Amino acid sequence: MRTRTIAAACLAALLVIALGIAVAPRVPALSTAETGDRELLDRARDLYADGPRDLLGVVEIDGEETALAHFGGGADTDFEIGSITKAMTALLLADAIERGEVTEDTRLGDLLDLDGTPVADVTLAELASHRSGLPRLPTRLRDVVSSAVAANYFGRDPYRYDDSVLLDQARAAELTDRGESHYSNLGFALLGPALAEATGTGYADLLRERLLDPLGMDDTYLPRTEADLPDDATLGHTERGRTAAPWLAAAYTSTVGVRSTPADMERFARAVLDGTAPGTAALEPRWPDGDDRIGYAWVTTDVDGTEVTWHNGGTGGFVSMLALDREADRAVIVLSNTTAEVEGQAVELLTGKEWS
Amino acid sequence: MNPALIPVLIGAALCLWWALAAVSLALAARPGEGRNRLADRWDAVSRTASLGFVAALSLVVVTWTVVPVALWYLLTALSAAAVAAVVLRSPALPARGEDPAAPGRRASAIGNVVLTAAAVCALALFLP
């Protein structure tokens, strides 16, 4: 009897250990499968060696020259670019204004069914420059709870809302400090369908026809369902040490929904730098944004005498940074599939100066 | 307070809770009677389920990119030892105690098992 009890105790302990190992959190380190420009690899490795990292793609544009550095993956590895999507949506707005389809003073209520709620009076320029007074995220209790729990604790897409829910969230939103800069994902989520309505097409088609196709960004896309993801789609890692679910972003696609590659982001950055991308007026800084200045989504920061125009991005398992020194015709793009920050290091790669 | 400290403090608190749950279960499984010993098998089930719950909570809530993952393995080993101690002790425990607190222990055990099962189901369903 005693032997059987001891055997059962050992078995129970082994089961606990096996379960613990099976579900244990995993924190990756920067991939050692390095390819690309040796000098850039050395500089990037020094900056990104610490912290939880896995795949990292670095692109450095200097005039006509481009250097690529890949820690795992390659130029065609796809990453969620998070809120760099906003920088693309902002170009679409500036382009639609140049085409005469909207003005920057076009009211949201003229394009979307907002039933005379406070948000109906917000202009497209206010949305694009984060001065609408809209909250960062929907404030309805059920949305706060479901998105916070989904994203923070389970590594899932927090934006599983369809278009009608987005409009309900907008109608329920209060405007606070309108005219002052307060970053709003909700605002950019509304800008996409507003532009789609003004131009008579869907947001995904608008992005494809006016930005991605003209710039040859064939590997950049907006997955609508998990079936749209390729079998080898890059997986992100959450800060809790788990695999992140892809962010499809549903109705929030114009704020965080794009996936792209280092090669395509080089095309994008180069077209923005040389002005061949549509709507580059979006980059011009026009309003105060804390210590910085902001145009349509694009932020301009003085980094110790160098003017850096940038947008960063983050999802549940990815972070990204696109930083431009327009005067020097230089750009740095960093794409990562972990949530450890990349922004300051990207600016240091661009300018050689620390970004506080 | 520095916001970067928040995940460290939350992680430390949860890991401490987990460690205390495992150590107290192992100590309670020692032979003998008294307030800090397992009173019956319902008590053993209740405390083991509590340990499972705090482990599941730690898996989801702790920011393991900030808190060393080695702690996870250490606490798993501690929990395995505690569970083994409970199994070793179980044959000597009455199935159900006769003291006035026995019904409360049974209710507590059922509650803890339901809570832990719900947590495990949530993990299985929602973790990508």
Side-chain angles (χ1 to χ4, degrees):
Chain A
M1 186 66 182
R2 180 71 181 160
T3 307
R4 281 172 58 186
T5 304
I6 291 171
C10 290
L11 185 62
L14 284 173
L15 281 173
V16 171
I17 288 169
L19 186 62
I21 291 171
V23 303
R26 286 175 176 79
V27 179
L30 184 64
S31 172
T32 55
E34 298 179 2
T35 54
D37 181 85
R38 183 50 52 191
E39 191 265 339
L40 181 58
L41 280 166
D42 290 342
R43 287 163 56 215
R45 192 187 316 103
D46 286 345
L47 292 168
Y48 290 109
D50 294 335
R53 309 219 181 255
D54 181 26
L55 308 182
L56 191 82
V58 182
V59 181
E60 183 180 46
I61 296 171
D62 187 358
E64 296 299 312
E65 304 294 319
T66 298
L68 299 167
H70 308 291
F71 297 87
D76 297 326
T77 300
D78 80 320
F79 295 83
E80 291 178 356
I81 64 168
S83 289
I84 294 180
T85 304
K86 291 184 180 72
M88 295 179 174
T89 304
L91 296 184
L92 294 179
L93 169 62
D95 180 57
I97 290 171
E98 287 166 17
R99 291 169 185 252
E101 293 163 332
V102 292
T103 72
E104 66 174 21
D105 295 323
T106 298
R107 296 166 60 256
L108 202 48
D110 295 336
L111 298 169
L112 303 177
D113 179 14
L114 294 167
D115 296 336
T117 53
V119 71
D121 194 44
V122 165
T123 67
L124 301 186
E126 286 174 322
L127 284 180
S129 55
H130 297 292
R131 295 176 305 116
S132 65
L134 281 165
R136 184 181 187 94
L137 294 165
T139 52
R140 301 186 310 172
L141 185 61
R142 60 178 179 267
D143 299 327
V144 172
V145 172
S146 67
S147 66
V149 170
N152 292 336
Y153 299 113
F154 291 101
R156 301 191 75 85
D157 178 2
Y159 297 119
R160 299 159 73 91
Y161 309 119
D162 63 25
D163 293 346
S164 65
V165 173
L166 171 63
L167 289 179
D168 286 343
Q169 291 169 341
R171 293 184 194 112
E174 302 277 337
L175 304 184
T176 307
D177 299 332
R178 185 175 172 190
E180 295 178 19
S181 183
H182 294 289
Y183 195 87
S184 176
N185 286 322
L186 176 58
F188 258 88
L190 293 165
L191 184 56
L195 288 174
E197 179 66 26
T199 57
T201 184
Y203 173 78
D205 290 337
L206 187 67
L207 185 72
R208 172 65 56 200
E209 290 165 11
R210 295 195 177 176
L211 188 71
L212 304 183
D213 282 350
L215 300 188
M217 298 170 67
D218 298 335
D219 293 325
T220 300
Y221 63 108
L222 283 163
R224 305 303 302 155
T225 67
E226 292 202 14
D228 293 340
L229 295 168
D231 292 339
D232 60 350
T234 307
L235 297 173
H237 302 277
T238 72
E239 63 179 9
R240 300 189 196 284
R242 311 208 66 81
T243 300
W247 279 23
L248 304 173
Y252 278 66
T253 191
S254 55
T255 195
V256 292
V258 171
R259 294 179 76 106
S260 189
T261 64
D264 270 9
M265 289 305 291
E266 184 213 343
R267 294 182 182 95
F268 179 65
R270 197 169 274 292
V272 170
L273 273 177
D274 67 19
T276 55
T280 50
L283 278 72
E284 296 309 318
R286 295 169 58 188
W287 299 280
D289 179 29
D291 294 336
D292 305 322
R293 304 193 71 217
I294 192 166
Y296 294 160
W298 294 80
V299 180
T300 298
T301 300
D302 184 331
V303 181
D304 200 12
T306 302
E307 195 170 80
V308 177
T309 305
W310 59 275
H311 210 293
N312 62 345
T315 65
F318 294 80
V319 290
S320 55
M321 178 68 168
L322 166 56
L324 311 172
D325 178 347
R326 299 166 71 196
E327 197 174 314
D329 198 23
R330 286 175 46 77
V332 166
I333 300 133
V334 178
L335 306 175
S336 166
N337 72 333
T338 67
T339 57
E341 71 176 42
V342 295
E343 291 92 336
Q345 300 93 324
V347 170
E348 194 169 338
L349 284 170
L350 179 73
T351 64
K353 301 166 187 171
E354 279 193 30
W355 188 38
S356 54
Chain B
M1 185 173 60
N2 183 348
L5 283 177
I6 293 172
V8 176
L9 294 175
I10 291 173
L14 269 169
C15 289
L16 186 63
W17 181 15
W18 185 359
L20 287 174
V23 170
S24 68
L25 179 61
L27 292 176
R30 287 175 300 159
E33 291 184 2
R35 193 167 160 271
N36 295 321
R37 298 289 200 277
L38 294 175
D40 56 22
R41 290 181 192 168
W42 281 111
D43 195 16
V45 168
S46 177
R47 295 196 202 197
T48 305
S50 293
L51 179 62
F53 179 75
V54 70
L57 198 63
S58 299
L59 178 65
V60 174
V61 174
V62 174
T63 306
W64 290 104
T65 50
V66 174
V67 176
V69 176
L71 262 182
W72 170 271
Y73 290 105
L74 183 68
L75 291 168
T76 297
L78 208 54
S79 301
V83 169
V86 169
V87 173
L88 283 173
R89 178 79 176 121
S90 286
L93 291 173
R96 184 192 303 185
E98 299 295 334
D99 57 307
R105 283 197 299 273
R106 193 166 77 156
S108 168
I110 292 169
N112 284 342
V113 167
V114 168
L115 198 62
T116 304
V120 170
C121 287
L123 292 183
L125 282 174
F126 294 115
L127 280 184

